[in-house]
Amino acid sequence: MSAPSPTLAPWPYPRWIAHRGAGKLAPENTLAAFRLGAQHGYRMFECDAKLSADGVPFLMHDATLQRTTNGRGTGGDLPWSDLAQLDAGAWHSRSYAGEPLPTLANVARYCIANGFFLNIEIKPTPGTEAETGRVVAAHAARLWHGQPVPPLLTSFQPAALAGARDSAPYLPRGLLLDTLTEGWLDTALQLGCVAVVCNHALWSTDTVGMVHGAGLRTLSYTVNDDWAAQRLIDLGTDGIITDRVDLFSPASAA
């Protein structure tokens, strides 16, 4: 007789998650994007966090500064005092010119004050995976201390998740995947993850069943079409990360 599958623990997060704040409608990973996402009814946001040269967690996706700021070079090579002077909005549109890079502390204050939920993707500068995981998790544990729902920490980098686990083991973690490499579910379980976050095309009846059967939740990125969202809802997945905060209304969608 086979052993019963683990029961899924209660999941405190909303299904709909705004990618990098408000998708592409505002400069990604800025407080302006969070505010716009909130105006569209979103209560949970995804963002990317990395470390400055002096160990300050701040929001940025790329390793380099050129795409989303007026800076040059690798963001992780600069101290926060330099990064804080950069314009992180003008690249998007003139109306956002002068928007600064936020620290993780800035974002924490905004989310806690408004009762919002956060998915922090740990996005290390290459070569700093374990350190970034440890420091981001330690800051998140301190910033959300005493709050009813902690942030969900995710990463494509197992070393970053291991660092987060070692630093703040009680914070929930999720393994990000863009392909289903051999042993992917075992990796998530060994890291003590509560979720697997996949490219949405990777989810099927079988993969959802495997993950739910292991007691983990199933999240998807980056879902921008009605048909893809409906497929994931029909499969019974637990979270959908989207750029299209203007298309999907989390207040009315299942």
Side-chain angles (χ1 to χ4, degrees):
M1 186 174 179
S2 61
S5 297
T7 301
L8 286 172
W11 187 243
Y13 304 105
R15 180 192 296 275
W16 291 95
I17 305 163
H19 189 224
R20 303 181 193 172
K24 301 180 185 302
L25 299 184
E28 64 184 58
N29 285 312
T30 64
L31 281 171
F34 276 61
R35 294 186 183 104
L36 185 58
Q39 289 172 21
H40 282 82
Y42 280 74
R43 298 175 57 242
M44 185 168 181
F45 303 91
E46 184 268 356
C47 67
D48 303 288
K50 51 174 30 75
L51 300 182
S52 66
D54 48 348
V56 176
F58 70 100
L59 269 56
M60 177 172 281
H61 179 273
D62 298 4
T64 55
L65 297 166
Q66 288 90 317
R67 183 175 67 86
T68 56
T69 77
N70 61 340
R72 294 291 182 270
T74 300
D77 289 346
L78 296 179
W80 176 247
S81 58
D82 289 352
L83 293 166
Q85 305 305 313
L86 296 178
D87 185 332
W91 69 273
H92 180 275
S93 55
R94 286 185 294 176
S95 61
Y96 289 110
E99 184 68 24
L101 291 170
T103 64
L104 183 59
N106 297 146
V107 170
R109 284 191 288 270
Y110 176 76
C111 288
I112 291 168
N114 290 282
F116 295 149
F117 304 89
L118 192 63
N119 166 199
I120 305 169
E121 181 184 341
I122 303 169
K123 201 78 173 177
T125 301
T128 69
E129 288 78 10
E131 178 192 6
T132 303
R134 286 193 299 269
V135 174
V136 168
H139 278 256
R142 175 178 57 81
L143 292 164
W144 273 267
H145 177 71
Q147 297 302 312
V149 180
L152 174 65
L153 307 181
T154 60
S155 186
F156 286 100
Q157 303 295 331
L161 291 173
R165 176 197 60 201
D166 295 344
S167 179
Y170 45 86
L171 291 182
R173 294 174 298 283
L175 178 64
L176 275 158
L177 297 169
D178 57 6
T179 58
L180 297 180
T181 55
E182 185 176 355
W184 59 272
L185 184 53
D186 286 339
T187 298
L189 293 169
Q190 290 164 7
L191 289 165
C193 291
V194 300
V196 174
V197 189
C198 280
N199 180 311
H200 68 89
L202 299 177
W203 290 122
S204 65
T205 301
D206 288 342
T207 52
V208 170
M210 288 171 60
V211 174
H212 280 171
L216 280 61
R217 296 290 181 157
T218 53
L219 282 71
S220 304
Y221 72 90
T222 302
V223 182
N224 296 328
D225 299 294
D226 279 318
W227 65 266
Q230 190 59 54
R231 189 182 82 89
L232 296 165
I233 291 168
D234 292 344
L235 283 171
T237 63
D238 302 291
I240 297 175
I241 301 169
T242 182
D243 290 320
R244 294 301 308 275
V245 299
D246 56 333
L247 174 63
F248 299 116
S249 171
S252 60

